[in-house]
Amino acid sequence: MQPTTRKPSFFQTRGFKRFRANKLSFYAAVIFLLLFGVSLFADVLANDRPVVVYYKHHVYFPVFQSLPETTFGGVLRGETDYSLMSIRSEINNNGFYIMPPIHYRYDSIITDLKQPSPTPPDRRHWLGTDSSAGDVLAELLYGFRISVLFGFMLTIASTIIGVIAGGAMGFFGGKIDLLGQRFMEIWGAIPMLFLLIILSSLIVPNFWWLFFLLLLFGWMQLTHLVRAEVLRVRQQDYIKAARVMGLSSWRIITHHVLPNALTSVVTFLPFLLAGSVTTLTSLDFLGFGLPPGSPSLGYLLKEGKDNINALWLSMTSFIVITTQLSLLTFIGAGLRDALDPRR
Amino acid sequence: MRHYIFRRLGLMIPTLLGIMLINFCVVQMSPGGPVERAIAALKDGSQIKGGNLLNSGGDAGVQGVNLTNNKLGNQKNYTGVDERVIEQLNKFYGFDKPAWQRFLIMIKNYLMFNFGDSVSTGQPIIEMILHRMPVSLSIGFWSTLLIYSLSIPLGIKQAIKKDSRFDRISTIVLIMLSSLPAFLLAIFLIIVFAGGRYFSWFPLSGLVSDNFASLSPLAKIADYFWHLVLPISASVIGGFTGLTILTKNSFLEELAKPYVMLARAIGMGERHVLYGVVFRNAMLLLIAGLPAMIVSMFFTSNLLIEIIFSLNGLGLMGYEAALTRDYSVVFATLYIFTLMSLVLGLIGDICYSLVDPRINFERMEG
């Protein structure tokens, strides 16, 4: 640690340069960020409300604001139903509106299908519809977004817990380590799925419940890793030297142990994210994930399995999940190669 | 070594006790326990016979019965079941004793593998477990066998042809396959090979056909494997990347060692060097990893595969029991799982230190 030298920016670090040189992983990261970036705009891309309405010299953004029908000369106080012909022609007569490229949200129920749902892809529904008459593409966009966001949140939270718990167990060793190990053995033996099933009969699980429960079991993977790393680093001579020099435990941990142990944590993050996404998808598939009606890739996969002849359902969800997970794995593999100090 | 084994065995005791304690608490606290079930069954029976005796709020009453409290008498009007019957039920299931006594009894029973009867089927749970065990074991066994017989040759080939096009492409494919969870592959395989639309080559679910009993011995074996193809493929495809990479790395590591150079220097053929000298040393580590592999194959990846292919294994049994709130079955399964994974984990660690005496787990832990 030399406070006088300027820290190089992230893009100039050796790790980033080496990651950049690994074409496969670099493009996997670019594509993944692109897909995620697009899915962040799901509300603007797939919605049953217009993006912009210009009506009687006023500009409205119905995607982001809720407008009663009275705004457009209607009589109802409730939310405007933009699919009504009367509303559409009223707006067109006094201005214009721009619809998103996909005219449906994940929860829009399409009422004007020409045949019973699920319907195969056509010009209006590029990836067809599912059995509850929802647009598959819209469901995918929202489902991808929620799975990645959920995964990110879970990854961040379990990283924080994992680093603290694993760091403490590895650094202090002895009784703390022994007790921690036993606790994790017991905790790890409880299958999350069974607990979720039992709990779902007691409460109606929502997003935060599910997040909390998965976190309760998700932190251990990283804890094992951090503990092993810290145990390894702790034996090194420079730590002993730091101790002899009389540095406090806190300073040794934050300045000498953690920076060295964190490399493997960073490498592990994409795999942790992929794992979180997989868990969420499998729970959604079994029907114990996000509450019914939420957009989800696992639900789409279940639709595909239940309607085995509807290829557009099973294959779309399969391809999207496969792509998502393999991109993450490639990013992880690239990070591992880039940050591996032995190369 | 012996000291280490005893220490590890000793450390298993608190783990198992902890798991039992959690089991106990969940069974005590969650609704729909055995007594409530029996009451509900009684109530349904009397409803059929005696008409609408307890129509008013009957269901809510059953939900609200608190088994461990002495308030049962007050609840009589809600459940509509005679107080004495409830008392008998409580006694039958041991709920008349204080909690710590029940816990001790449970520990004693668990240690003797006496798990009692299943509430929903009435069978002894240990029989159910023994009955389902072969299914889980056969999936695990064949998957492990296939993974080893695929990974080792592939890993060796990758190590020999390091940095060739074959190495790079196969590594990419392997990484991609490893990113796919087994249940996703299972669904894919079902849709393509068993859905009835594309290739109906394999059965959709189950371990044997309906007419299994009438088949000749040879046809029985064929039928058994025919049913196993898809589930095993699903668990193998996602599982053999790790071992392949391990094989490759341990081969590369061995190849770089001086004794290999010596073997080459004294004029040993390349083939002999690879399979006579390097193979033995590189394999040791892989064989030592077998118990850990078995644990992960048997107990972690099987659940979803069993559910998707409706194979009557332990995983599916636990899942169904959890759905029907048959907690004693759930926790008996869990107990067996934990016990086995602890024992196999110990065997794995012992194997490692036998293979490579430099690995010393004791010193690591100190």
Side-chain angles (χ1 to χ4, degrees):
Chain A
M1 278 290 152
Q2 286 168 318
T4 46
T5 50
R6 236 179 93 249
K7 248 185 135 186
S9 92
F10 170 70
F11 293 102
Q12 290 167 350
T13 54
R14 202 172 74 104
F16 179 78
K17 278 183 184 156
R18 285 169 62 162
F19 185 73
R20 176 84 174 74
N22 187 339
K23 281 209 185 83
L24 186 69
S25 301
F26 180 70
Y27 287 116
V30 171
I31 294 172
F32 182 79
L33 289 177
L34 211 69
L35 286 179
F36 179 54
V38 168
S39 78
L40 280 181
F41 292 98
D43 288 304
V44 184
L45 290 171
N47 213 315
D48 49 8
R49 303 178 190 178
V51 184
V52 185
V53 172
Y54 181 75
Y55 178 76
K56 293 190 177 167
H57 309 292
H58 280 287
V59 180
Y60 301 100
F61 299 97
V63 167
F64 302 108
Q65 56 192 143
S66 121
L67 299 165
E69 212 180 275
T70 44
T71 325
F72 305 110
V75 284
L76 297 172
R77 294 253 179 84
E79 182 63 45
T80 315
D81 182 357
Y82 297 93
S83 63
L84 291 177
M85 271 332 274
S86 57
I87 296 286
R88 290 194 171 197
S89 54
E90 172 68 23
I91 298 175
N92 266 337
N93 292 338
N94 297 286
F96 64 89
Y97 65 93
I98 302 169
M99 283 300 279
I102 303 157
H103 296 202
Y104 312 96
R105 261 164 67 90
Y106 63 92
D107 53 357
S108 319
I109 293 165
I110 302 152
T111 45
D112 53 351
L113 287 174
K114 291 194 179 63
Q115 42 175 319
S117 62
T119 59
D122 53 33
R123 267 175 57 197
R124 285 184 53 207
H125 308 287
W126 297 338
L127 291 175
T129 59
D130 66 8
S131 70
S132 52
D135 187 76
V136 173
L137 188 56
E139 173 103 28
L140 271 184
L141 264 175
Y142 284 91
F144 187 88
R145 176 171 74 173
I146 205 167
S147 76
V148 176
L149 282 178
F150 190 88
F152 268 137
M153 278 167 46
L154 200 59
T155 308
I156 292 168
S158 46
T159 307
I160 294 171
I161 301 180
V163 168
I164 293 173
M169 281 163 64
F171 188 78
F172 296 112
K175 279 217 177 73
I176 294 179
D177 190 37
L178 197 73
L179 284 177
Q181 289 275 83
R182 297 289 85 70
F183 177 74
M184 279 164 66
E185 239 169 40
I186 298 170
W187 206 239
I190 306 169
M192 192 182 53
L193 179 62
F194 291 170
L195 207 71
L196 268 174
I197 296 173
I198 294 171
L199 276 174
S200 68
S201 64
L202 301 178
I203 47 157
V204 182
N206 59 25
F207 186 91
W208 293 108
W209 260 110
L210 195 67
F211 175 76
F212 178 69
L213 267 170
L214 293 194
L215 182 62
L216 271 183
F217 295 93
W219 58 277
M220 279 182 289
Q221 256 184 314
L222 204 78
T223 309
H224 283 295
L225 184 81
V226 175
R227 173 185 170 268
E229 277 297 300
V230 171
L231 265 181
R232 188 180 60 80
V233 173
R234 196 177 65 135
Q235 312 281 346
Q236 308 282 322
D237 288 339
Y238 63 87
I239 302 294
K240 286 177 189 154
R243 233 188 259 270
V244 171
M245 284 163 68
L247 292 186
S248 68
S249 285
W250 177 249
R251 192 169 169 88
I252 295 178
I253 292 176
T254 51
H255 283 74
H256 301 278
V257 177
L258 278 186
N260 284 298
L262 280 184
T263 310
S264 59
V265 172
V266 171
T267 322
F268 195 63
L269 290 184
F271 299 107
L272 204 62
L273 180 56
S276 308
V277 170
T278 307
T279 312
L280 181 68
T281 310
S282 61
L283 287 178
D284 279 341
F285 174 77
L286 289 175
F288 292 102
L290 294 169
S294 318
S296 111
L297 298 178
Y299 167 76
L300 218 61
L301 198 63
K302 187 178 157 43
E303 279 280 292
K305 204 208 160 205
D306 291 346
N307 305 287
I308 227 162
N309 284 324
L311 193 65
W312 60 95
L313 287 175
S314 49
M315 282 304 140
T316 331
S317 47
F318 180 76
I319 290 170
V320 170
I321 300 171
T322 309
T323 315
Q324 185 187 20
L325 293 178
S326 16
L327 287 177
L328 284 175
T329 315
F330 282 127
I331 297 172
L335 271 181
R336 188 171 49 204
D337 289 346
L339 298 176
D340 189 350
R342 279 169 301 176
R343 295 200 191 181
Chain B
M1 193 69 212
R2 189 180 293 165
H3 175 77
Y4 171 69
I5 294 173
F6 277 123
R7 200 174 112 95
R8 281 286 298 265
L9 285 174
L11 285 175
M12 281 181 195
I13 296 170
T15 309
L16 286 175
L17 271 179
I19 288 165
M20 283 192 239
L21 185 65
I22 290 176
N23 294 358
F24 183 74
C25 294
V26 173
V27 174
Q28 296 302 309
M29 288 187 300
S30 42
V35 178
E36 282 173 43
R37 244 174 192 286
I39 292 172
L42 275 177
K43 200 191 74 171
D44 287 348
S46 64
Q47 228 169 2
I48 295 161
K49 278 181 212 149
N52 286 339
L53 260 174
L54 16 87
N55 219 357
S56 52
D59 274 302
V62 172
Q63 288 284 328
V65 178
N66 196 335
L67 289 168
T68 45
N69 278 354
N70 299 325
K71 290 180 194 158
L72 277 172
N74 308 337
Q75 304 273 353
K76 187 187 165 188
N77 291 337
Y78 288 99
T79 57
V81 177
D82 197 325
E83 204 176 317
R84 274 175 308 175
V85 178
I86 295 175
E87 241 168 58
Q88 272 177 355
L89 277 172
N90 274 333
K91 200 167 182 181
F92 180 74
Y93 288 107
F95 281 108
D96 56 338
K97 298 190 184 76
W100 62 271
Q101 263 184 25
R102 271 177 283 148
F103 184 52
L104 285 183
I105 291 170
M106 182 182 135
I107 291 176
K108 190 184 136 222
N109 285 338
Y110 266 44
L111 287 179
M112 299 169 74
F113 295 104
N114 173 16
F115 303 115
D117 295 343
S118 155
V119 183
S120 50
T121 62
Q123 278 176 298
I125 293 170
I126 187 73
E127 256 177 44
M128 286 168 73
I129 290 177
L130 289 177
H131 184 70
R132 306 270 189 127
M133 194 89 100
V135 181
S136 297
L137 288 185
S138 54
I139 304 173
F141 175 75
W142 294 115
S143 310
T144 315
L145 197 73
L146 256 176
I147 287 177
Y148 264 78
S149 51
L150 279 174
S151 295
I152 291 176
L154 189 62
I156 294 175
K157 193 156 188 208
Q158 282 189 335
I160 296 170
K161 300 194 167 186
K162 190 182 184 309
D163 293 331
S164 68
R165 182 186 281 179
F166 169 79
D167 178 30
R168 269 181 290 140
I169 292 176
S170 61
T171 306
I172 291 175
V173 172
L174 279 177
I175 290 178
M176 237 179 106
L177 287 181
S178 76
S179 70
L180 301 184
F183 82 95
L184 200 65
L185 286 165
I187 293 164
F188 178 78
L189 290 174
I190 280 190
I191 288 164
V192 176
F193 294 111
R197 175 156 177 173
Y198 307 100
F199 311 96
S200 300
W201 292 347
F202 298 103
L204 195 59
S205 63
L207 192 61
V208 289
S209 304
D210 294 335
N211 60 347
F212 188 69
S214 65
L215 294 173
S216 68
L218 212 63
K220 270 185 183 169
I221 295 173
D223 186 67
Y224 167 79
F225 279 111
W226 184 53
H227 280 80
L228 274 180
V229 171
L230 291 188
I232 289 182
S233 319
S235 63
V236 166
I237 292 173
F240 76 114
T241 304
L243 194 68
T244 310
I245 291 173
L246 195 69
T247 312
K248 180 187 168 185
N249 288 343
S250 66
F251 241 75
L252 285 176
E253 211 169 289
E254 289 298 320
L255 277 173
K257 283 185 178 166
Y259 73 85
V260 178
M261 206 193 283
L262 174 76
R264 283 190 181 137
I266 61 174
M268 236 184 229
E270 191 62 16
R271 195 162 259 278
H272 195 177
V273 171
L274 278 177
Y275 297 103
V277 182
V278 177
F279 187 77
R280 282 196 210 170
N281 288 308
M283 271 320 94
L284 281 177
L285 210 62
L286 299 181
I287 292 162
L290 195 61
M293 180 89 181
I294 292 176
V295 172
S296 73
M297 282 296 7
F298 282 9
F299 301 122
T300 51
S301 53
N302 266 348
L303 177 66
L304 281 165
I305 298 264
E306 282 179 14
I307 294 173
I308 289 169
F309 288 100
S310 25
L311 298 168
N312 257 328
L314 285 180
L316 186 64
M317 183 174 93
Y319 177 71
E320 281 172 349
L323 285 181
T324 55
R325 300 193 203 168
D326 201 342
Y327 298 124
S328 40
V329 175
V330 174
F331 290 118
T333 329
L334 226 61
Y335 176 73
I336 298 271
F337 274 11
T338 318
L339 195 64
M340 283 196 160
S341 63
L342 284 175
V343 170
L344 282 170
L346 175 63
I347 295 175
D349 284 354
I350 293 171
C351 283
Y352 274 121
S353 46
L354 284 181
V355 164
D356 187 350
R358 283 168 302 178
I359 298 177
N360 190 338
F361 291 99
E362 247 173 303
R363 204 178 300 148
M364 283 268 292
E365 291 192 359

